[in-house]
């Protein structure tokens, strides 16, 4: 099956190079869960970029109790509670969340449903050059490529405690 590869390393650099741009977001609508619709970028950041701090200052600072850890230690944001204050973005010592995360009033025309092949292609075109591509390849930790789910691969440098 054709999958999407999102390069989080290049995406972060693209945002640093041009902080005012609006980054296109990929969604998998069947992934809607009780905590609201999550973009792939958010899911990837909390699963792969986050260092899973024991004391989790992001959770402590949140004024809305919108963040919690799941059973795997992965941060989960309750979108219905989040007030987009960005305190968590600011306090995270590792820059897990990109600066444009959790904005209200984002351009919904830049949200793409990746269960649809046409939208997948539009998502690639709308994303910063070289940050998203289609692939038939599989997970490859040697290349820093990991599986987020059956349709999406993520390139990210994982933190290891050793
Ligand atoms: S502060 Fe940052 S790195 Fe630490 S748990 Fe929260 S999001 Fe992850
Ligand atoms: S942006 Fe949302 S999740 Fe983050 S601290 Fe503010 S309310 Fe909590």
């Amino acid at each position: 099956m054709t999958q999407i590869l999102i390069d989080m390393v290049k995406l972060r650099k693209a945002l640093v190079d041009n902080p005012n741009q609006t980054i296109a977001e990929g969604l998998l609508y069947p992934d809607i869960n009780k905590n609201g619709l999550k973009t792939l970028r958010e899911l990837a950041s909390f699963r792969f970029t986050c260092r899973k701090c024991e004391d989790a200052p992001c959770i402590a600072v949140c004024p809305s109790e919108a963040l919690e850890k799941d059973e795997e230690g992965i941060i989960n944001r309750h979108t219905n509670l989040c007030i987009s204050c960005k305190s968590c973005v600011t306090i995270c010592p590792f820059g897990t969340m990109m600066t444009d995360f959790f904005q209200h009033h984002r351009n919904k025309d830049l949200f793409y449903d990746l269960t649809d092949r046409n939208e997948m292609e539009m998502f690639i075109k709308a994303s910063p050059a070289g940050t998203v591509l289609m692939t038939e390849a599989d997970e490859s930790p040697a290349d820093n490529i990991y599986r987020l789910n059956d349709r999406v691969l993520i390139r990210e440098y994982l933190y290891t405690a050793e």
Side-chain angles (χ1 to χ4, degrees):
M1 192 205 315
T2 302
Q3 311 159 103
I4 283 276
L5 170 62
I6 301 176
D7 191 323
M8 299 290 280
V9 180
K10 286 185 182 168
L11 257 183
R12 258 195 309 276
K13 182 170 184 316
L15 256 181
V16 169
D17 291 346
N18 181 3
N20 295 323
Q21 67 183 307
T22 305
I23 297 288
E25 296 285 10
L27 301 164
L28 287 171
Y29 284 103
D31 274 357
I32 294 173
N33 59 39
K34 63 180 170 27
N35 294 325
L37 199 62
K38 300 293 173 62
T39 67
L40 294 174
R41 204 155 53 110
E42 176 172 347
L43 292 174
S45 294
F46 284 136
R47 176 167 291 273
F48 298 117
T49 313
C50 172
R51 296 199 186 190
K52 303 179 179 61
C53 311
E54 237 174 74
D55 57 349
C58 54
I59 294 178
V61 80
C62 178
S64 306
E65 298 186 355
L67 299 176
E68 65 177 3
K69 279 187 188 173
D70 70 11
E71 57 282 357
E72 293 178 77
I74 295 169
I75 301 285
N76 181 33
R77 180 177 66 104
H78 293 266
T79 49
N80 56 332
L81 296 177
C82 175
I83 56 170
S84 303
C85 68
K86 292 207 194 179
S87 302
C88 56
V89 178
T90 305
I91 205 165
C92 173
F94 304 110
T96 293
M97 291 156 274
M98 296 180 201
T99 50
D100 64 332
F101 266 25
F102 313 150
Q103 290 170 357
H104 277 314
H105 312 301
R106 295 199 60 196
N107 183 355
K108 296 299 179 202
D109 290 341
L110 281 174
F111 282 64
Y112 297 92
D113 174 7
L114 303 188
T115 60
D116 179 290
R117 175 77 181 214
N118 287 337
E119 292 214 16
M120 204 186 252
E121 288 171 7
M122 286 158 64
F123 174 55
I124 292 171
K125 279 192 196 135
S127 297
T131 59
V132 183
L133 51 98
M134 280 191 206
T135 179
E136 304 282 341
D138 205 349
E139 185 176 55
S140 173
D143 299 312
N144 303 300
I145 294 172
Y146 303 92
R147 180 165 294 289
L148 180 65
N149 57 43
D150 62 347
R151 290 169 191 265
V152 181
L153 295 166
I154 300 293
R155 178 170 172 263
E156 179 60 293
Y157 299 132
L158 297 198
Y159 169 75
T160 49
E162 308 93 61

